[in-house]
Amino acid sequence: AQSVTQLGSHVSVSEGALVLLRCNYSSSVPPYLFWYVQYPNQGLQLLLKYTTGATLVKGINGFEAEFKKSETSFHLTKPSAHMSDAAEYFCAVSGHGGSQGNLIFGKGTKLSVKP
Amino acid sequence: EAGVAQSPRYKIIEKRQSVAFWCNPISGHATLYWYQQILGQGPKLLIQFQNNGVVDDSQLPKDRFSAERLKGVDSTLKIQPAKLEDSAVYLCASNPTTQGNTIYFGEGSWLTVV
């Protein structure tokens, strides 16, 4: 079975500091990996995804993530945090069953940005 | 392009009552999903449709939850009777094909069972 572990349910950084949100996955097949962001009272918005090819993936709002197969990791980073980045972030891996569409999510990491 | 539409956005009901949520996916998207997101957790897939057929409903509590997607377009998720532990956000999402990787989510329907 596939699974996702997000290390740290809550991360706090200062504005302008590096953002690092950790995600490790378990998968018996080559994974498709995703990061979603959820602002309060809103649905999920795709930040970036890894399917095949280049392991460093760039997404929206200055975020990027690197797929490291040897470490089974897909950590999310941003060089300089903005106040508007405060939200909850979910890492996800695509599921089995012949469909690569349905997602298995981690429990989420809430990012706080201090002025 | 219009996004995934869901209604109602908020609902409060008493336990043992019933509730229904509606979803209209992005036009032309063949695959539709219902996810349940309990506070403090990541979303969990309840059911996946491909057109009007069910692909995966292994995590749907079938004794109280039901879902349909008539004509392969919009979908309804029903809970009857509701329990306290059903309090959650119900997220609808769609995807152009089963092989497509990008799932587009609606804003969710927030259910509180008291």
Side-chain angles (χ1 to χ4, degrees):
Chain A
Q2 295 181 314
S3 65
V4 171
T5 301
Q6 291 185 240
L7 299 175
S9 59
H10 193 186
V11 171
S12 182
V13 300
S14 297
E15 192 172 20
L18 171 72
V19 175
L20 170 61
L21 304 182
R22 300 178 186 272
C23 172
N24 288 90
Y25 70 90
S26 172
S27 178
S28 58
V29 297
Y32 286 19
L33 295 159
F34 307 80
W35 275 100
Y36 280 84
V37 61
Q38 187 175 36
Y39 297 100
N41 298 326
Q42 295 187 24
L44 295 162
Q45 179 183 7
L46 180 67
L47 275 179
L48 48 81
K49 65 182 180 183
Y50 167 79
T51 54
T52 58
T55 57
L56 181 62
V57 180
K58 295 186 184 299
I60 62 172
N61 301 339
F63 284 93
E64 62 183 37
E66 186 171 11
F67 170 59
K68 292 187 177 180
K69 184 178 178 180
S70 61
E71 299 177 8
T72 61
S73 69
F74 191 57
H75 301 330
L76 181 70
T77 61
K78 182 174 180 178
S80 177
H82 295 168
M83 296 297 292
S84 59
D85 295 327
E88 191 152 21
Y89 293 80
F90 292 92
C91 182
V93 63
S94 60
H96 284 294
S99 166
Q100 295 165 342
N102 57 315
L103 299 169
I104 296 169
F105 286 88
K107 291 188 176 182
T109 298
K110 188 172 184 179
L111 176 67
S112 299
V113 182
K114 299 175 291 187
Chain B
E1 179 182 73
V4 177
Q6 292 189 243
S7 68
R9 288 294 315 278
Y10 305 94
K11 191 76 175 179
I12 300 174
I13 62 172
E14 295 182 350
K15 59 184 179 183
R16 291 186 291 273
Q17 286 188 326
S18 64
V19 64
F21 300 113
W22 174 82
C23 171
N24 193 27
I26 294 173
S27 178
H29 281 198
T31 306
L32 184 148
Y33 311 83
W34 283 101
Y35 284 83
Q36 179 192 55
Q37 185 178 14
I38 293 173
L39 186 64
Q41 298 182 22
K44 180 186 79 171
L45 179 69
L46 291 177
I47 189 168
Q48 176 185 349
F49 292 95
Q50 168 72 3
N51 295 312
N52 61 350
V54 175
V55 174
D56 182 356
D57 63 356
S58 58
Q59 298 192 88
L60 186 74
K62 298 179 185 65
D63 58 334
R64 298 182 300 105
F65 286 66
S66 64
E68 60 182 11
R69 191 184 184 195
L70 301 176
K71 301 180 181 178
V73 182
D74 56 347
S75 175
T76 302
L77 176 70
K78 296 179 181 178
I79 307 173
Q80 181 179 16
K83 292 185 175 181
L84 296 177
E85 58 261 36
D86 298 333
S87 295
V89 181
Y90 292 87
L91 295 164
C92 182
S94 68
N95 169 310
T97 69
T98 55
Q99 297 303 313
N101 307 120
T102 299
I103 297 179
Y104 299 86
F105 285 85
E107 293 191 319
S109 292
W110 299 67
L111 174 65
T112 301
V113 182
V114 298

